[in-house]
Amino acid sequence: MWGRRQRGPGSCVLGAEELRARRREREAALRKARRQEQLVSKRLLREDTTAEEGAQDGAGIEPGPLLENEVLELLRSVQKGSEDRKRSLGRLCWALRNKETRQKFVRLDGSIRTLIGLFTSSLADVQMQAGRCLHELSHSSDPAVAEACLPVTSYLLTYLSGHSIEFTELCLYTLGNLVVESEAVRKQLLPQGIIPVLVSCIQSPHEAVLEGLGYVLSQLLQAKEAPTEIIPLVLASALPQHMLRLVCSGLKAGIGAAVEFAWCLHYIICSQMPNTALLSLGALPALTSVLLNLASEPPPDAAEGLELVRHGQGTEQWLFSAALWGYGRVKGSVFPLSQLVCPVLRCLSNLLAEDTGCEEQVQDERLLVAIFLILQSFLQKHPFIAQECLWLLNNLTACEPFFCSALLSLDLLPALLQLLPCSQMATVLVLTVACNIAAKGPAFCQQLHQQPALSLLLPILTLPDLEAVGQCLELLHLLFLHCPEAAADFIRQGGHRALEQHQSTPELQERARALLDMVGHPLGSPPSPRPPSFPPPVL
């Protein structure tokens, strides 16, 4: 592709195709790395009353380890049928916050059997306290503790159909914690019917129950055996349609459940399983609608900015001012809706990364506007969200000319180029999006050339980052192929000097020499003025 002899018209077409294939291979490798960034975690439901019953002050304090005989005494006090059993369970629950105490407790003969007996008690307060003890055990990072709790899984599933919201929530989080730690637990839950139980439970009207269910499902979907043993069962059930419904209703109903199920969809999409089932349910337009709604939710003090409505009758223009509004904050924390942005962006990015031609389902200019709104809003304090926006923008423009044309017609290219100096990954992704545009042909390259792109590319050629420089060379190659005047301007700005510096870099020398051939500049030219430095991004 980059050979010095490939100068004919046929080689130009071949070069563009090879260039696109190479970019897609690199993007696939990067996406594979991103799939490993998962959210396996454990969660605790604790109340201050537990600490009080354990004769301690404050729920955030962890007790010290107990001796073997002290743990045995606690177990015996729980086993006694006295009226003080609830208080004894409270003390045991407090003690089980300690890692060593948990390990000692499960080694005692009859300990789990005793808790299960109390967990199935007809006395609601005893049942709840025994459930809290099991919940503390589920938080252990020791697989042996999780496997000691295997006999309780069938009861946890049974109680998910109970009438107490608090007790159902406790059972869900206990299940989720056990799922994280033990493959044996996961393998036992599948034949016990956890998927049908979750299908029934997901129709609950209670936000707390739905959020807990989303936690259980997200932990199941992240298991190493999920692609072969769990995800096919989930896709064959009614769970996906309910997950989409809850994600789409998150702005009106519960944001917590919407966030959980958005991550669940992300894990399914990234599982290497065919996503035809999700696509047939309308996942792409549904998630696009969610993103548009997220971008349309300004805080109370929003400044005038980019709007997701057409201005006037019969016009294709969008309102766009330099003052883009940011997301609101509550008591110093991120506005809750922001928690939904990341998984929705990832779902869309990875659905669009598949070679299914599904881009046609979302040919809406407002999607680009929404991406830039969110990108600008999160750039300063949450740059990883901006990176996710660039991933989505890359996947939208990789194959579909519609979004390349829309990005140019909406005059969003200057805002994109301003992101070049933000970070190493942002630099690479912005250059990749620019390559996607340039690969569409001469008309697109002409519009790229009309922007101050070359002056921004010259400083990149001086960076020590080989990936960014390599992507910059890819963009220059496309510009020179389709827009000869860009090559002339590049020489006038002294770009040949930067190219000559890379002739001794093994990873870049072939491309640098090919570009020097394309601009027809002899080696050993006199020094040129130093390329300008990056301007600060305008937010």
Side-chain angles (χ1 to χ4, degrees):
M1 173 179 80
W2 285 97
R4 297 163 66 117
R5 297 179 184 175
Q6 295 181 0
R7 301 295 297 274
S11 66
C12 292
V13 176
L14 179 61
E17 289 299 323
E18 289 181 355
L19 190 65
R20 187 178 298 111
R22 194 156 104 184
R23 287 201 309 275
R24 299 300 285 172
E25 288 175 5
R26 182 172 59 250
E27 291 158 18
L30 289 171
R31 283 195 303 273
K32 182 178 179 181
R34 289 168 70 243
R35 289 189 184 108
Q36 298 172 1
E37 300 172 11
Q38 299 180 329
L39 297 179
V40 172
S41 61
K42 292 196 172 187
R43 303 184 193 176
L44 279 173
L45 299 178
R46 284 176 176 169
E47 298 180 354
D48 291 341
T49 54
T50 304
E52 292 166 2
E53 289 165 357
Q56 299 290 336
D57 183 20
I61 303 173
E62 181 177 300
L66 298 182
L67 299 175
E68 293 278 358
N69 63 324
E70 292 175 316
V71 179
L72 180 59
E73 182 59 32
L74 270 177
L75 176 61
R76 286 174 176 169
S77 67
V78 167
Q79 290 171 333
K80 293 177 182 177
S82 65
E83 296 178 358
D84 203 28
R85 175 174 280 169
K86 181 182 175 182
R87 182 172 294 276
S88 298
L89 280 168
R91 288 196 296 269
L92 175 61
C93 189
W94 167 254
L96 290 176
R97 294 188 181 190
N98 182 271
K99 175 182 177 180
E100 294 180 34
T101 301
R102 287 194 292 258
Q103 293 171 336
K104 292 172 184 176
F105 179 80
V106 297
R107 288 197 295 264
L108 290 176
D109 184 42
S111 57
I112 298 297
R113 187 167 58 252
T114 297
L115 279 184
I116 290 176
L118 298 173
F119 186 58
T120 56
S121 169
S122 58
L123 301 174
D125 54 350
V126 171
Q127 187 181 44
M128 178 64 78
Q129 281 290 43
R132 287 173 179 158
C133 291
L134 290 168
H135 185 65
E136 291 294 340
L137 288 174
S138 76
H139 198 252
S140 173
S141 58
D142 184 354
V145 176
E147 291 176 16
C149 295
L150 277 170
V152 80
T153 57
S154 61
Y155 298 101
L156 289 169
L157 289 177
T158 299
Y159 290 136
L160 293 186
S161 58
H163 299 292
S164 168
I165 298 173
E166 183 183 6
F167 190 61
T168 301
E169 182 186 18
L170 182 66
C171 292
L172 283 166
Y173 282 100
T174 302
L175 267 177
N177 289 346
L178 292 174
V179 162
V180 172
E181 206 60 55
S182 172
E183 183 177 356
V185 170
R186 297 192 295 269
K187 287 187 176 297
Q188 179 168 284
L189 284 169
L190 292 177
Q192 287 177 342
I194 187 172
I195 301 301
V197 170
L198 294 182
V199 171
S200 176
C201 198
I202 202 172
Q203 300 174 59
S204 168
H206 304 293
E207 165 69 8
V209 171
L210 292 173
E211 191 171 339
L213 189 152
Y215 169 64
V216 175
L217 191 55
S218 70
Q219 305 311 304
L220 280 171
L221 293 171
Q222 291 179 83
K224 61 181 180 180
E225 70 276 13
T228 56
E229 299 180 22
I230 298 172
I231 291 178
L233 296 176
V234 171
L235 291 175
S237 73
L239 283 172
Q241 65 194 57
H242 287 295
M243 286 191 280
L244 278 171
R245 171 181 59 83
L246 290 165
V247 171
C248 292
S249 63
L251 300 183
K252 298 178 181 178
I255 189 68
V259 171
E260 295 288 0
F261 290 116
W263 281 113
C264 289
L265 290 172
H266 166 66
Y267 299 135
I268 293 174
I269 292 167
C270 290
S271 66
Q272 307 296 333
M273 295 285 293
N275 287 310
T276 51
L278 288 176
L279 291 172
S280 66
L281 290 172
L284 202 52
L287 292 169
T288 299
S289 177
V290 173
L291 196 67
L292 295 180
N293 289 332
L294 285 168
S296 299
E297 288 287 331
D301 58 346
E304 181 183 0
L306 188 58
E307 298 181 12
L308 291 173
V309 293
R310 296 192 183 277
H311 181 54
Q313 295 290 332
T315 176
E316 298 298 313
Q317 297 298 315
W318 302 89
L319 299 178
F320 184 51
S321 72
L324 295 175
W325 48 259
Y327 276 63
R329 302 187 179 278
V330 180
K331 295 183 180 180
S333 61
V334 180
F335 191 70
L337 292 181
S338 65
Q339 300 172 21
L340 187 55
V341 171
C342 185
V344 171
L345 285 168
R346 286 198 173 190
C347 285
L348 284 170
S349 293
N350 287 300
L351 281 174
L352 290 166
E354 296 189 4
D355 189 17
T356 59
C358 56
E359 297 92 344
E360 296 179 0
Q361 299 181 27
V362 290
Q363 287 191 0
D364 189 337
E365 292 174 336
R366 293 177 301 166
L367 180 54
L368 288 179
V369 178
I371 291 171
F372 276 88
L373 269 173
I374 295 171
L375 194 154
Q376 295 276 12
S377 300
F378 286 96
L379 181 61
Q380 290 295 326
K381 295 192 176 181
H382 302 283
F384 72 96
I385 294 288
Q387 185 172 305
E388 297 295 338
C389 288
L390 289 173
W391 268 106
L392 176 54
L393 191 60
N394 169 58
N395 290 350
L396 284 171
T397 57
C399 299
E400 183 52 59
F402 172 85
F403 288 105
C404 294
S405 299
L407 193 146
L408 295 173
S409 64
L410 293 173
D411 198 25
L412 294 172
L413 185 59
L416 176 68
L417 294 177
Q418 288 168 7
L419 299 171
L420 277 170
C422 289
S423 68
Q424 185 271 342
M425 182 56 74
T427 300
V428 172
L429 288 172
V430 169
L431 290 171
T432 306
V433 173
C435 283
N436 293 340
I437 298 171
K440 301 301 183 289
F444 292 87
C445 286
Q446 288 285 350
Q447 294 195 57
L448 277 172
H449 181 231
Q450 291 171 7
Q451 300 293 334
L454 289 178
S455 62
L456 295 174
L457 295 181
L458 288 175
I460 295 175
L461 292 175
T462 65
L463 294 175
D465 180 8
L466 294 180
E467 186 179 11
V469 174
Q471 194 65 32
C472 185
L473 296 179
E474 305 276 9
L475 178 56
L476 289 173
H477 179 236
L478 287 167
L479 287 173
F480 295 172
L481 278 176
H482 298 303
C483 184
E485 54 266 39
D489 285 348
F490 184 76
I491 291 297
R492 280 195 292 272
Q493 295 182 35
H496 58 283
R497 299 296 298 173
L499 291 178
E500 289 171 0
Q501 293 175 6
H502 294 298
Q503 291 187 101
S504 58
T505 305
E507 298 88 346
L508 305 173
Q509 59 186 8
E510 181 185 357
R511 285 174 281 178
R513 290 169 183 170
L515 286 172
L516 284 169
D517 270 0
M518 292 179 75
V519 299
H521 194 84
L523 302 180
S525 301
S528 302
R530 185 176 181 180
S533 59
F534 281 114
V538 179
L539 302 178

